[in-house]
Amino acid sequence: MGAHVTSAPPPAAVVVLAAGQGTRMRSAVPKMLHEVGGRSLVGHVVAASRSLDPERLAVVVRHQGEAVADHVLALAPETVIVDQDEIPGTGRAVQCAMAELDARALAAAAAEGIPEGQEGRGAGRGLAGAVVVVAGDTPLVDGDVLADLLAAHHAEASAVTVLTTVVEDSTGYGRIVRDHSTGDVVRIVEHKDATEVEREIREINSSIYVFDAAVLRDALGSLGSDNAQGEVYLPDVLEIARDAGGAVRAVVAPDPMTVEGVNDRRQLAALGAEMNRRVLDRWMAAGVTVVDPATTWIDVDVDLAQDVTILPGTQLHGATKVATGAVIGPDTTLTDVEVGLNATVVRTHGSLAVIREGASVGPFAFLRPGTDLGKNGKIGTFVETKNAEIGEGSKVPHLSYVGDATIGEHTNVGAASITVNYDGVKKHRTVIGSHARTGADNMFVAPVTVGDGAYTAAGSVIRRDVPSGALGVSAGSQRNIEGWVARRRPGTAAAEAATAALAGDTEDGATSVLGAQAQAEHAGRTAAAAAAADKPTPPPPSPGVATLDGLSEGPDAR
């Protein structure tokens, strides 16, 4: 299969079987909601089914049916949800679906005033036309596979057409029993009901069919549960249809993985890897460079332009979109992120963010939802952003948190800056204008605004607005407390080093280990000490009394 055989009219309905319990998954999550390639198992099948443009789409649910139904309706609101009753089996699932679909078809015909029994308009007994039935746990089935099957069904005017494949080990699968003279399908026999000869057959049922609606309706009324499992089997419809004179034919899918179902976590992983291989192959054929396919994972809904480069260790998830010339990775995970022309994103984790043309991000950046980095902007090393608009050419190079903020164009935010956006109850916004220069180790206590062309000094806590062109400064004067280390940290390496340095100064009569400013201060203190030498010495502080540095100098101080 591959290219379509012929075009075919849309089916009257597609029925997706999603009622299975999935006990072998060993999971509290319904089997149908487990994901590969960024979509749920049933989500892949629903997408393939919708591509046929059916008149009606039905999904049959049972186990944890409400969760599956809500998920499906979020993907395809037009879906008819059908609840399977306690009677087990795929045949029973389709019986429930056909009852609902026929009732809706009759109601629609009556609403349109179509006389009962008029052919070709959905009146009479209900649905008229082709009905496609698909297993909900076959994520690699795509629209092309279903379209080819539907086209073959119409081209050969079959009563039933089944999609099959050939595998090396057919254990556990339903076997396709053919008429050797015509090649038509005689019946499908389940593994537990098969004879030893039938178990040698390697052609298996995919659980994907196209039925004529009238044939299906009549055959469903004849189904029973006389089998090893005690279930109502849908494959029994084929033998009933053949006995009634209908042609039952098969289309073989050359790649067994296309129709492989998921029953446990091992199969989930295997199909996920195969899907990823196919996605990567498609993008590489379209002009995307994937340096190391073995460590690259790309979801099915990701959109990549020509000449994008994906470096090793990269995962692109959700609706991520990457424009021409962008380089992503290595070691980068992006979910629902838009990356512009020629942008670079290195060792970054991001979600629900926009990185515009020519911008650079990383390494070791964290882009949280609401980040919008402008053209030629930069978010650098160990920077976290959230709900932040950063203008064209502006930079947050390193060691900073920018949350709930708007930064203008061509502004530079100094290292170790933080927008203090949360007061314990509400989030507040910081606004920094264009062409501003903020100092290192700044805190912007929101709500606060720094104007265009303004500067802020290093180490400042900006609590009030800084007007355009102004310098915001909040740091107090520095003071040095002489001898603090020796008094408060005796016996430490620092105290020993300080004692040795001071002894060296005394012995040499020099202060070469001090800078120019410190030497001047040292000289001033020496002169002041000499001037005060003749004055009486005040008594020492009482034990436990705090000194000017706020630290107790008493004998019990620690």
Side-chain angles (χ1 to χ4, degrees), residues 373-387:
L373 177 61
K375 181 179 179 181
N376 297 322
K378 177 180 178 62
I379 293 174
T381 308
F382 300 114
V383 174
E384 179 180 346
T385 60
K386 186 267 296 180
N387 195 23

Side-chain angles (χ1 to χ4, degrees), residues 9-32:
V14 177
V15 177
V16 178
L17 306 182
Q21 188 171 0
T23 55
R24 282 183 280 171
M25 295 296 289
R26 301 288 191 270
S27 176
V29 177
K31 180 177 82 168
M32 295 297 165

